[in-house]
């Protein structure tokens, strides 16, 4: 079964500094990959997704992610974070060749330090 | 569109009581997903429907849990009898086409079982 690993449960970073949130998935078969963001007391919102094509995907709020098939990774990056980026970030994967289930990682809480 | 609507937002009940959570997906969306979020286990897929038909309920923890989708605009998740370990935030999400991956989440129902 497909699984998603987010290596860091929490990431503290200073405001205006760059950040990378790591995500690895279990299988090298064809997959769709996603990053979602959850602000406090809200549901998840889609940040960006990789379906095919360019391995560098740009999303909302200045975030981007790079799909690396050989390393089965899909790390999320932002060159300069703001206090408003404080949230929990979830990586998710869907196996293209199997069912329609979207499996989420356990999340990474991003703490922006002043 | 109002988005995915869940009710109740908060529910506090005593062990042994029946709990019913409700969801109204976005009109026109063919897929509906129920997720449970806890600190320990993260975001777990419980069950999902396609065109009102349950496709995969392998994530439903046990027989105390049941879900229905009597029509395209309404779904319920029922727990009977409830137990303290069921305390979690339950999210409903809908999608036009799960293969494009954008799940639209409701704001969640926070359940506390005493």
């Amino acid at each position: 079964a497909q699984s998603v690993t987010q290596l860091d449960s929490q990431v503290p970073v200073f405001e205006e500094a760059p950040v990378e949130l790591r995500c690895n998935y279990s299988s090298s078969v064809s997959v769709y990959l996603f990053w979602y963001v959850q602000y406090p007391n809200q549901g998840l919102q889609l940040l960006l997704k990789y379906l095919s094509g360019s391995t560098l995907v740009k999303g909302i709020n200045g975030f981007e992610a790079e799909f690396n098939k050989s390393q089965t990774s899909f790390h999320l990056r932002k060159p300069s974070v703001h206090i408003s980026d404080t949230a929990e970030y979830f990586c998710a994967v869907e196996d293209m060749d199997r069912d329609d289930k979207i499996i989420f990682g356990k999340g990474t809480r991003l703490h922006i330090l002043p | 569109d109002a988005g995915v609507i869940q009710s109740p937002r908060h529910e506090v009940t005593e062990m042994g009581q029946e709990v019913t959570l409700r969801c109204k997906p976005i009109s026109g969306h063919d897929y509906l997903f129920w997720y449970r979020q806890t600190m320990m286990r993260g975001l777990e897929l419980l069950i999902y429907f396609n065109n009102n038909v349950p496709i995969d309920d392998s994530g439903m923890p046990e027989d105390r849990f049941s879900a229905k989708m009597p029509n395209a605009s309404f779904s319920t998740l029922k727990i009977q009898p409830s137990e303290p370990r069921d305390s979690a935030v339950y999210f409903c999400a809908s999608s036009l086409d799960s293969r494009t991956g954008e799940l639209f989440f409701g704001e969640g129902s926070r359940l506390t079982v005493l």
Side-chain angles (χ1 to χ4, degrees):
Chain A
Q2 191 64 258
S3 67
V4 180
T5 301
Q6 291 183 244
L7 296 167
D8 305 302
S9 59
Q10 296 189 65
V11 172
V13 62
F14 287 103
E15 198 168 12
E16 298 184 8
V19 68
E20 179 180 83
L21 305 183
R22 296 179 293 170
C23 172
N24 288 87
Y25 60 96
S26 63
S27 173
S28 61
V29 298
S30 299
V31 293
Y32 295 131
L33 295 158
F34 315 92
W35 277 98
Y36 282 79
V37 60
Q38 184 180 28
Y39 298 104
N41 300 313
Q42 294 187 25
L44 282 70
Q45 304 170 36
L46 182 68
L47 261 185
L48 50 80
K49 61 184 176 185
Y50 171 80
L51 303 181
S52 64
S54 172
T55 57
L56 184 63
V57 180
K58 294 190 183 297
I60 61 172
N61 300 340
F63 283 94
E64 63 181 33
E66 187 155 19
F67 169 54
N68 188 320
K69 188 173 183 178
S70 62
Q71 297 186 7
T72 61
S73 69
F74 191 55
H75 301 331
L76 181 71
R77 302 185 184 100
K78 186 169 182 178
S80 175
V81 297
H82 299 110
I83 196 74
S84 59
D85 293 324
T86 299
E88 189 151 18
Y89 293 80
F90 293 88
C91 183
V93 61
E94 181 177 355
D95 189 331
M96 290 170 62
D97 297 325
R98 296 183 62 189
D99 52 35
D100 298 319
K101 290 198 288 191
I102 297 172
I103 305 301
F104 285 83
K106 289 197 172 182
T108 298
R109 192 169 296 278
L110 181 60
H111 292 282
I112 309 300
L113 307 170
Chain B
D1 201 310
V4 176
I5 299 172
Q6 291 187 245
S7 65
R9 289 293 312 277
H10 302 274
E11 174 97 5
V12 180
T13 190
E14 293 189 344
M15 184 173 63
Q17 296 298 305
E18 177 179 295
V19 173
T20 299
L21 308 178
R22 299 173 177 80
C23 175
K24 182 182 188 308
I26 293 173
S27 177
H29 282 192
D30 293 332
Y31 288 82
L32 185 140
F33 301 79
W34 282 101
Y35 286 88
R36 176 172 69 175
Q37 186 179 37
T38 60
M39 290 289 291
M40 291 297 296
R41 301 173 68 90
L43 202 62
E44 303 172 275
L45 177 64
L46 300 178
I47 184 171
Y48 77 95
F49 297 82
N50 181 18
N51 292 321
N52 314 335
V53 176
I55 303 300
D56 188 335
D57 65 355
S58 59
M60 296 285 261
E62 49 199 273
D63 292 345
R64 297 185 297 106
F65 285 69
S66 63
K68 294 182 179 178
M69 192 165 186
N71 57 62
S73 59
F74 184 66
S75 176
T76 60
L77 178 68
K78 188 174 292 187
I79 309 172
Q80 166 63 17
S82 59
E83 296 182 3
R85 61 193 166 124
D86 302 331
S87 297
V89 181
Y90 291 81
F91 286 102
C92 175
S94 70
S95 175
L96 185 60
D97 175 356
S98 76
R99 288 307 173 102
T100 67
E102 182 157 12
L103 299 179
F104 292 82
F105 282 79
E107 293 187 315
S109 294
R110 181 176 296 276
L111 173 65
T112 302
V113 183
L114 303 175

